[in-house]
Amino acid sequence: MTRPGADRPPTRRQLAAEQTRRKLLAAALDAFSRRPYAEVTIGGIARSAGVAHGLLSHHFNGKEGLYAEAVREAGRLLRAAQDTGSDAPPAERIRQRFRAHLGFLAGHEALALNLILRPAEVTEVAWQAFESARRDGVRAICGLLGLDPDDAAVRSAMCAFTAAADEMALQWLKGGRAVGADAVVEALVELLEGAIRSARSLAPGLDLDEVLVRLRA
């Protein structure tokens, strides 16, 4: 059943509130990308956003909540960049996904180094936001390959893959991107293949032959 008033356009007050929220989030993304959590202040973010200090607590329940939302927003931006809308075979779609991933990281290096590739600092809430973004990425890859992301062996193997992939991307960025992105993409595919093979070691009865063929097709 449709909630009464659900189809009504937002009020001016609601639009203003959302605009304030977006300003604060943009200022937070910039601040947390450039400085450690401890060095970022609520007052500084509010000033950068051009809004009253108290509105930050109103919209995000303080610095901790805003930091967690910044981590979530970084994950959303990355997922949007990875969604190529391609109907190519799974192996090529995974490569496209990896290329888009690296392209986004290279184009938003400070954001990548401080909010995407490194575990969220300080709070459990922020850590959960970081892990949620990782799980979304795992589910997307598993969906392309026909893997069950809830299988214990697959889950363990894919967690190892995401950790290794993040570290590879981190070193690629910190090393000045001396290696071409296409080479890194192929290295990520090799890592993924190794992770899938390791799942079979964890669960010998797991049939992964078709998955491996799909990855290399």
Side-chain angles (χ1 to χ4, degrees):
M1 186 174 71
T2 303
R3 190 175 70 254
D7 294 330
R8 293 177 185 170
T11 66
R12 187 174 300 176
R13 182 175 180 179
Q14 288 170 332
L15 289 172
E18 180 58 22
Q19 185 179 38
T20 295
R21 185 181 184 280
R22 297 306 304 178
K23 285 180 178 178
L24 284 165
L25 186 53
L29 281 170
D30 179 64
F32 290 127
S33 292
R34 292 186 293 105
R35 296 192 299 280
Y37 179 88
E39 294 179 11
V40 176
T41 65
I42 290 175
I45 291 174
R47 283 191 298 275
S48 295
V51 304
H53 183 289
L55 288 175
L56 190 149
S57 293
H58 171 74
H59 285 283
F60 297 100
N61 197 28
K63 180 179 172 181
E64 177 181 340
L66 180 57
Y67 183 71
E69 189 57 30
V71 173
R72 292 188 194 98
E73 180 68 5
R76 285 191 288 265
L77 292 170
L78 180 59
R79 286 195 298 276
Q82 291 170 341
D83 185 9
T84 62
S86 171
D87 58 357
E92 180 54 29
R93 288 174 68 183
I94 285 174
R95 283 174 170 80
Q96 290 172 354
R97 182 181 180 86
F98 289 164
R99 287 189 200 101
H101 179 88
L102 293 172
F104 180 87
L105 299 181
H108 304 81
E109 190 164 325
L111 186 71
L113 292 174
N114 293 292
L115 285 175
I116 294 176
L117 296 176
R118 289 176 177 166
E121 291 185 67
V122 183
T123 70
E124 181 63 24
V125 174
W127 174 258
Q128 289 173 2
F130 178 82
E131 285 296 293
S132 176
R134 274 188 165 186
R135 286 194 297 270
D136 288 344
V138 165
R139 287 188 173 277
I141 292 172
C142 286
L144 288 171
L145 292 175
L147 284 166
D148 178 6
D150 296 318
D151 179 273
V154 170
R155 186 169 61 249
S156 294
M158 292 301 290
C159 283
F161 165 72
T162 56
D166 280 355
E167 185 61 28
M168 180 174 287
L170 179 65
Q171 295 305 318
W172 180 66
L173 289 176
K174 291 172 69 175
R177 291 174 254 160
V179 178
D182 285 344
V184 181
V185 166
E186 292 308 312
L188 290 172
V189 172
E190 294 283 352
L191 277 178
L192 179 57
E193 183 175 0
I196 292 169
R197 292 185 185 282
S198 75
R200 184 155 47 193
S201 297
L202 294 171
L206 201 59
D207 185 4
L208 296 172
D209 290 340
E210 286 188 17
V211 173
L212 291 167
V213 169
R214 199 172 292 130
L215 179 60
R216 285 296 180 181

